[in-house]
Amino acid sequence: MKHITSQDIQEMKKVYRLNLINSCTGYKSANLIATRSKAGIPNVAVFSSITHIGSEPAMLGFVTRPLTVARNTYKNIKETSYFTVNHIHEEMIQKAHQTAAKYDEEISEFEKTGLEEEYLNDFQAPYVKQSEIKLGCKFLNEYEIKENDTLLIVAAIEHIYFDEGIQMPDGWLRLDDAGTVAVNGLDGYSLPSLLDRFHYARPGQEVRSFFSQKSN
Amino acid sequence: MKHITSQDIQEMKKVYRLNLINSCTGYKSANLIATRSKAGIPNVAVFSSITHIGSEPAMLGFVTRPLTVARNTYKNIKETSYFTVNHIHEEMIQKAHQTAAKYDEEISEFEKTGLEEEYLNDFQAPYVKQSEIKLGCKFLNEYEIKENDTLLIVAAIEHIYFDEGIQMPDGWLRLDDAGTVAVNGLDGYSLPSLLDRFHYARPGQEVRSFFSQKSN
């Protein structure tokens, strides 16, 4: 096995380090965050840091740098409190990746990429029409991560949209039925397929699959 | 499309809500966090909230509740500052899931699950031998997420181990070559395969693949 130390990491060239460190923590969620400024300009940008924060109340979080390419997203969220989270699917990966380009603030990435805006139930922020799972979120709080001046944004999940066919009777959304992708590093888009789903683990009991009688 | 509102979410039964909210944000990373208490008892537990925080310095974060099943992990990290992050691969998903069972504090999940401890370069915490990508980490800080009394743990990545064959010349680790899995919800384990990897996006330029001459 190759062994890389802190010292090695510090001495790496910037892009090499970005590629290694962004891929070494495993797969990341692949989502588009869409917002609309007070002036009415929509914005959409790819994010791989969206993660589950809690179910009761329903909340998600994501990490951002306020002054990088995500600055329009951040500014719009702070101005309006609202944003949407839209899954990226296999057919959309080029369009989704293109949202990472540094467009000027007055330009809508929707126009430039072919992603389509969709407004649902008078929500302030646009959804992405091509997404099969989409969330309407409201900003709750931000936490400054002092170690590198990033922010953890925490938000309430207020609306969830999805095709009924991908939901199991116990509430779970089967993401491979929606063709949702995952991100490998900064720029790799991967398509997962379900291996198995397991019942709640208990000491002294073998792990049991939802899909068969096999116990191991 | 099915539309679920805040009100619907509040009125759901607990397990249904857990399943829906944990799956609606997309795929999550699948890792085992391993620690060793001051008294020498090792601990290993599955986590799906590990995410990239920054590359310079190299840092990761994860969200935990200090008083749930993860309490041993948290206590050991606070006692010793050290922990490891170990990828979960296709052949390990049952063993990894079994670590979520509520074992007593003095019991090692390594013994109970068949996952093997491995100590590398005098690092205080054990690695998981079966993992093909593993990180040695040091606690840096914790942030209390007041909205639901969870903690964001932020840590430095001090050691990285992987098989050299999965790394591309630009530093990127190709996770499907390692057979790393992703988590769908609380209990679904999925195997991703790479669709494509794209060059840095620029305004007015078509997205370009790393793997071919095709531009779209």
Side-chain angles (χ1 to χ4, degrees):
Chain A
M1 284 207 134
K2 187 167 178 178
H3 176 208
I4 286 171
T5 66
S6 300
Q7 177 86 21
D8 298 331
I9 297 170
Q10 282 164 36
E11 290 169 359
M12 283 169 187
K13 290 199 175 157
K14 186 180 169 186
V15 171
Y16 188 98
R17 180 171 48 230
L18 278 170
N19 284 326
L20 174 62
I21 303 302
N22 271 280
S23 55
C24 75
T25 47
Y27 286 101
K28 299 184 280 190
S29 58
N31 286 293
L32 292 162
I33 295 187
T35 55
R36 190 167 49 135
S37 69
K38 270 193 171 170
I41 301 169
N43 178 277
V44 60
V46 60
F47 278 81
S48 62
S49 64
I50 290 173
T51 194
H52 175 80
I53 296 283
S55 294
E56 195 181 0
M59 296 191 299
L60 56 76
F62 66 96
V63 175
T64 186
R65 272 178 206 279
L67 298 174
T68 59
V69 67
R71 69 196 181 287
N72 294 345
T73 299
Y74 178 70
K75 183 184 74 66
N76 291 347
I77 292 174
K78 293 292 285 188
E79 257 184 35
T80 67
S81 288
Y82 293 100
F83 64 95
T84 67
V85 169
N86 307 271
H87 283 219
I88 299 171
H89 309 291
E90 185 173 3
E91 320 75 46
M92 297 159 57
I93 61 175
Q94 282 94 345
K95 291 182 174 73
H97 191 71
Q98 185 62 31
T99 65
K102 287 178 188 153
Y103 292 106
D104 291 339
E105 194 177 338
E106 64 274 19
I107 289 175
S108 161
E109 293 84 0
F110 281 107
E111 278 176 36
K112 293 293 176 187
T113 61
L115 294 167
E116 289 174 68
E117 289 169 78
E118 180 179 45
Y119 291 90
L120 298 173
N121 291 294
D122 294 323
F123 200 68
Q124 191 271 342
Y127 293 88
V128 175
K129 190 162 186 184
Q130 287 95 332
S131 293
E132 294 194 25
I133 301 175
K134 28 201 170 199
L135 316 175
C137 300
K138 185 177 182 184
F139 175 87
L140 290 176
N141 209 344
E142 62 187 359
Y143 295 91
E144 191 197 336
I145 301 174
K146 290 173 205 142
E147 286 69 27
N148 68 349
D149 297 326
T150 52
L151 293 172
L152 172 70
I153 308 292
V154 174
I157 302 173
E158 298 201 331
H159 300 272
I160 310 177
Y161 296 89
F162 55 87
D163 282 329
E164 223 152 336
I166 65 163
Q167 189 176 39
M168 302 297 111
D170 64 358
W172 186 74
L173 304 182
R174 183 168 170 159
L175 300 179
D176 63 349
D177 278 352
T180 294
V181 301
V183 181
N184 176 167
L186 286 165
D187 43 25
Y189 294 83
S190 302
L191 185 65
S193 56
L194 189 70
L195 291 169
D196 211 340
R197 188 178 172 214
F198 298 129
H199 285 282
Y200 192 73
R202 297 179 194 282
Q205 213 175 67
E206 285 190 334
V207 165
R208 286 181 307 128
S209 170
F210 270 75
F211 302 109
S212 71
Q213 297 303 317
K214 72 175 172 174
S215 62
N216 214 329
Chain B
M1 287 208 130
K2 188 167 175 176
H3 175 210
I4 286 171
T5 66
S6 300
Q7 177 85 17
D8 298 331
I9 296 170
Q10 282 165 37
E11 290 170 0
M12 283 171 187
K13 289 198 176 160
K14 187 181 170 186
V15 172
Y16 188 97
R17 180 171 47 228
L18 279 171
N19 284 326
L20 173 63
I21 303 301
N22 271 280
S23 55
C24 75
T25 47
Y27 286 101
K28 299 185 281 191
S29 57
N31 286 292
L32 292 161
I33 294 186
T35 55
R36 190 167 49 135
S37 70
K38 270 194 171 170
I41 301 169
N43 178 277
V44 59
V46 60
F47 278 82
S48 62
S49 64
I50 291 173
T51 194
H52 175 78
I53 297 283
S55 295
E56 194 180 1
M59 298 193 297
L60 56 76
F62 65 95
V63 175
T64 186
R65 271 177 207 277
L67 298 174
T68 59
V69 68
R71 69 196 181 288
N72 295 345
T73 299
Y74 179 70
K75 183 183 75 64
N76 292 348
I77 292 174
K78 294 292 285 187
E79 256 183 35
T80 67
S81 288
Y82 293 101
F83 65 95
T84 68
V85 170
N86 307 270
H87 283 218
I88 299 171
H89 309 291
E90 184 172 5
E91 320 74 48
M92 300 158 58
I93 60 175
Q94 281 93 347
K95 292 181 174 73
H97 191 70
Q98 186 61 30
T99 65
K102 286 179 188 154
Y103 292 106
D104 290 339
E105 195 177 338
E106 64 273 19
I107 288 175
S108 161
E109 292 84 1
F110 282 106
E111 279 176 35
K112 293 292 175 188
T113 60
L115 294 167
E116 288 175 69
E117 287 169 79
E118 181 179 44
Y119 291 90
L120 298 174
N121 292 296
D122 295 324
F123 201 69
Q124 191 271 342
Y127 293 88
V128 175
K129 192 165 185 181
Q130 288 96 329
S131 293
E132 294 194 26
I133 301 175
K134 28 202 170 199
L135 316 175
C137 299
K138 185 178 182 185
F139 175 88
L140 289 176
N141 209 344
E142 61 187 3
Y143 295 91
E144 191 197 335
I145 301 173
K146 291 172 205 143
E147 286 68 28
N148 67 347
D149 296 325
T150 52
L151 293 172
L152 172 71
I153 308 291
V154 174
I157 302 172
E158 297 201 332
H159 301 272
I160 310 177
Y161 296 90
F162 55 86
D163 282 328
E164 224 150 334
I166 65 164
Q167 190 176 39
M168 302 297 111
D170 65 357
W172 186 75
L173 305 181
R174 183 167 168 159
L175 300 178
D176 63 348
D177 279 352
T180 295
V181 301
V183 181
N184 176 169
L186 286 166
D187 42 26
Y189 294 84
S190 302
L191 186 65
S193 56
L194 188 70
L195 292 170
D196 211 339
R197 190 179 171 214
F198 298 129
H199 285 284
Y200 191 75
R202 297 180 195 281
Q205 212 175 68
E206 284 192 334
V207 165
R208 286 181 307 128
S209 169
F210 270 75
F211 301 109
S212 71
Q213 296 305 318
K214 73 176 170 171
S215 61
N216 214 330

